[in-house]
Amino acid sequence: MYSLISQGNNLLLKISLDALDASAALDCGQSFRFRLEEDGSFFGVALGRILRLRQVPDGILFYDMSEEEFHSSWADYFDLKTDYEALKEAYRADEVLQRAVAYAGGIRVLCQEPFETLISFLISQNNNIPRIKNSVEQLCRRLGTPLSEEYYAFPTPEQMASASLDTYAGLGLGYRDSYLVDCVQRIADGRLRMDEISRMELEKARETLRTVKGVGPKVAECVLLFGFHRLEAFPVDTWVKKALSRYYPQGFPEQYGASAGVAQQFLFHYIRTCKDAV
DNA sequence: CCCCAGGGTAGGG
DNA sequence: CCCTACCATGGG
């Protein structure tokens, strides 16, 4: 559970580190738009707005934030409506998940915008997180609406569709630039609609996403999990593949099916960043 | 110089 | 269905 305390222009979200850990949640390969500043705060852009926050002993301090804005946008963005305590209670039956939760329990599956998620994870294929972040940043600077001198919104489908292929060439995307061009073209001419996908049954949504060039099984699962909040989606990248072969040679337990994606996120972060992962 | 990264496609068996 | 070469690019 959590509560809110207004502090001038800022807002303190009182919540335990186990329930929401800014560093783990914002830097675990879901969003590519947050950076840790030298003063220890996180700065980023999401939902078309600049967000600045900081981990404090009592929870998370949101800068320049009203209760209204928090309730209408950020409570959902940080998935505060999902009962993670219940999920983690179920993980106690599993030794590995228990370790992953002990390592970083404050991860949450962020509710990101579907279009941004689709484009970001098209860029993510056969790529590493620092470079993905860089490419996404370049993309926003080049095509997104400026929100300040430093920060840019993620470009809209229209903004991206109006750019030429050579606009994308300078973004460090490698061979993935043509994937983006094809994807935004499909959206611009109405062949692909995010709002329709959000209403589809899971398997249908999966198939539809995979009609986009460059979207295979893994990217589709990421878009479903991070962009459409389908917690059943289970992306298997090189890290999770490693975790599955190391910890679950007999297969991942089926009992977590309805929220397998959340468990996947704990596993991913654990095996990718914990030095002592065994 | 090498290998790897939140993989996917195309082509051949 | 499977397997493999190839795809750009930068970090380590």
Side-chain angles (χ1 to χ4, degrees):
Chain A
M1 277 311 295
Y2 64 93
S3 58
L4 297 171
I5 299 175
S6 189
Q7 298 185 344
N9 290 334
N10 304 331
L11 188 68
L12 173 63
L13 169 66
K14 292 194 74 170
I15 190 167
S16 75
L17 187 64
D18 288 354
L20 176 55
D21 179 340
S23 175
L26 297 176
D27 200 22
C28 63
Q30 295 186 56
S31 168
F32 302 103
R33 301 223 58 199
F34 286 89
R35 289 170 206 287
L36 179 61
E37 302 292 316
E38 288 197 359
D39 68 358
S41 68
F42 284 89
F43 241 119
V45 178
L47 310 180
R49 275 167 283 177
I50 298 172
L51 187 64
R52 184 181 173 212
L53 56 86
R54 169 193 298 281
Q55 192 86 44
V56 293
D58 287 340
I60 309 282
L61 181 64
F62 290 86
Y63 292 91
D64 296 314
M65 176 74 66
S66 67
E67 281 198 42
E68 292 71 27
E69 183 182 346
F70 184 84
H71 278 128
S72 64
S73 299
W74 304 107
D76 271 346
Y77 184 81
F78 287 97
D79 201 20
L80 296 182
K81 64 185 181 299
T82 299
D83 187 354
Y84 281 74
E85 286 195 29
L87 297 178
K88 287 185 238 177
E89 180 65 27
Y91 297 160
R92 290 174 58 165
D94 185 282
E95 203 180 304
V96 179
L97 285 175
Q98 212 171 353
R99 286 209 303 275
V101 168
Y103 169 66
I107 289 175
R108 303 183 85 92
V109 174
L110 304 176
C111 290
Q112 301 186 74
E113 293 184 308
F115 175 69
E116 174 173 345
T117 310
L118 175 55
I119 296 298
S120 298
F121 281 90
L122 267 175
I123 295 171
S124 79
Q125 69 148 297
N126 199 26
N127 209 341
N128 56 64
I129 291 178
R131 198 161 81 95
I132 299 163
K133 278 185 163 181
N134 192 44
S135 287
V136 171
E137 180 62 27
Q138 306 282 348
L139 176 66
C140 295
R141 281 181 184 276
R142 185 72 183 79
L143 296 173
T145 301
L147 302 173
S148 73
E149 287 189 9
E150 269 187 86
Y151 294 95
Y152 292 75
F154 196 90
T156 62
E158 294 74 23
Q159 287 172 321
M160 286 189 66
S162 67
S164 61
L165 179 58
D166 44 311
T167 304
Y168 292 96
L171 303 178
L173 297 169
Y175 62 88
R176 306 168 191 83
D177 50 5
S178 62
Y179 293 159
L180 297 198
V181 172
D182 178 69
C183 178
V184 296
Q185 194 52 54
R186 280 166 165 271
I187 292 173
D189 63 27
R191 279 178 294 166
L192 185 68
R193 296 177 56 101
M194 297 296 112
D195 56 340
E196 286 181 359
I197 295 175
S198 72
R199 283 184 247 105
M200 289 176 188
E201 194 186 335
L202 183 68
E203 192 54 37
K204 178 68 177 170
R206 203 171 255 154
E207 284 173 17
T208 304
L209 285 168
R210 287 193 54 176
T211 62
V212 178
K213 265 187 213 168
V215 177
K218 189 270 175 181
V219 170
E221 295 304 287
C222 282
V223 177
L224 288 168
L225 180 58
F226 304 135
F228 291 100
H229 211 253
R230 303 288 178 97
L231 300 184
E232 321 94 292
F234 192 88
V236 179
D237 73 316
T238 55
W239 294 103
V240 173
K241 196 172 294 177
K242 192 182 299 182
L244 291 178
S245 66
R246 185 184 297 179
Y247 302 129
Y248 303 98
Q250 320 290 346
F252 190 71
E254 285 183 21
Q255 63 182 113
Y256 303 117
S259 62
V262 181
Q264 179 274 0
Q265 200 51 29
F266 282 108
L267 276 181
F268 171 79
H269 186 63
Y270 176 63
I271 198 159
R272 188 175 89 88
T273 63
C274 181
K275 299 289 183 197
D276 301 322
V278 285

